[in-house]
Amino acid sequence: NAGVMQNPRHLVRRRGQEARLRCSPMKGHSHVYWYRQLPEEGLKFMVYLQKENIIDESGMPKERFSAEFPKEGPSILRIQQVVRGDSAAYFCASSPRTRTDTQYFGPGTRLTVL
Amino acid sequence: GQQVMQIPQYQHVQEGEDFTTYCNSSTTLSNIQWYKQRPGGHPVFLIQLVKSGEVKKQKRLTFQFGEAKKNSSLHITATQTTDVGTYFCAVSGGGADGLTFGKGTHLIIQP
């Protein structure tokens, strides 16, 4: 019974490069959420997706960040032209039905921008 | 949007002592969830409280939801080294479809 999977677990990028973070939800879950956690901080909601649809991206920066959850394959969080301030842990969570269901978190991707 | 204040930010206890973290909101909450995150780990769901005045127990952990549904607490009795980590409360609703997390309480246990 695999949980939420994220890869890579650690990602190092130089300023200006692109970062692609992948998330496979738990089996049977069709709702995916992305959160960002800065050191010593709580998690900040970024975006909520269902298959092929972005439902709520109110927490996502307007520039350089995008997310998708295609019909086939994992959800992708894409950060273009990364800057040092993008260094953080990015967690994906999934839930089975609605946003009020319990969310199950993946192990996260630790992004370091040099 | 929805905001929750969580205190204290850090709590140092001797092993065997009790620990409590509090979560407060200025608005009435539909529900509240609690998560634990070990150092270097990811948030792990502990419990969800829905009803006014609800009290739930998980072994040495006691969770309470206030009568007005504006505050909640997590109490750990007789802490052990395995309890080390950061405890977050989280609420849903308030506009954004994701959870809004408190800043967390870091539990540090001195042997």
Side-chain angles (χ1 to χ4, degrees):
Chain A
N1 214 3
V4 179
M5 293 192 289
Q6 288 187 251
N7 65 81
R9 296 289 300 275
H10 299 273
L11 182 62
V12 179
R13 285 286 177 266
R14 297 190 179 280
R15 281 179 295 171
Q17 291 185 319
E18 178 179 289
R20 277 184 179 240
L21 288 61
R22 286 176 290 277
C23 168
S24 296
M26 284 180 72
K27 189 176 180 181
H29 287 195
S30 57
H31 300 249
V32 166
Y33 314 79
W34 286 93
Y35 295 84
R36 176 164 64 177
Q37 184 177 37
L38 295 170
E40 301 298 314
E41 293 279 323
L43 287 82
K44 294 285 193 292
F45 166 74
M46 298 180 74
V47 62
Y48 163 42
L49 310 103
Q50 294 178 33
K51 282 286 186 182
E52 300 185 277
N53 286 305
I54 296 174
I55 306 302
D56 181 353
E57 56 182 350
S58 58
M60 194 115 90
K62 294 285 184 280
E63 297 177 352
R64 302 187 298 107
F65 285 72
S66 62
E68 62 177 16
F69 190 13
K71 188 176 180 181
E72 301 291 336
S75 175
I76 306 284
L77 179 67
R78 183 180 174 208
I79 311 173
Q80 295 178 289
Q81 298 175 312
V82 295
V83 301
R84 287 224 174 103
D86 297 332
S87 295
Y90 292 83
F91 290 97
C92 166
S94 72
S95 68
R97 292 177 300 273
T98 70
R99 62 179 176 84
T100 55
D101 284 339
T102 299
Q103 295 181 18
Y104 296 88
F105 283 79
T109 295
R110 270 82 179 167
L111 172 66
T112 302
V113 179
L114 301 177
Chain B
Q2 199 79 271
Q3 284 194 343
V4 284
M5 301 297 294
Q6 193 172 353
I7 57 170
Q9 189 175 359
Y10 293 90
Q11 184 75 59
H12 292 78
V13 300
Q14 296 282 340
E15 188 175 4
E17 291 182 336
D18 292 356
F19 159 79
T20 306
T21 173
Y22 301 89
C23 207
N24 298 293
S25 170
S26 58
T27 59
T28 303
L29 303 169
S30 57
N31 64 76
I32 193 162
Q33 301 180 24
W34 286 92
Y35 289 79
K36 177 185 178 181
Q37 185 177 23
R38 292 182 186 275
H42 61 278
V44 174
F45 173 78
L46 294 176
I47 209 157
Q48 176 169 272
L49 304 172
V50 178
K51 298 177 184 175
S52 167
E54 190 170 14
V55 178
K56 287 189 177 179
K57 293 193 175 187
Q58 290 178 353
K59 297 183 181 178
R60 293 178 295 104
L61 278 61
T62 302
F63 304 84
Q64 292 191 335
F65 202 8
E67 293 289 342
K69 299 181 73 172
K70 289 186 176 182
N71 56 72
S72 181
S73 65
L74 158 59
H75 179 83
I76 303 178
T77 304
T79 54
Q80 300 174 359
T81 54
T82 53
D83 296 326
V84 163
T86 304
Y87 293 84
F88 293 98
C89 60
V91 300
S92 57
D97 273 314
L99 293 171
T100 299
F101 280 79
K103 285 187 181 273
T105 295
H106 301 262
L107 172 58
I108 298 124
I109 297 178
Q110 292 151 344

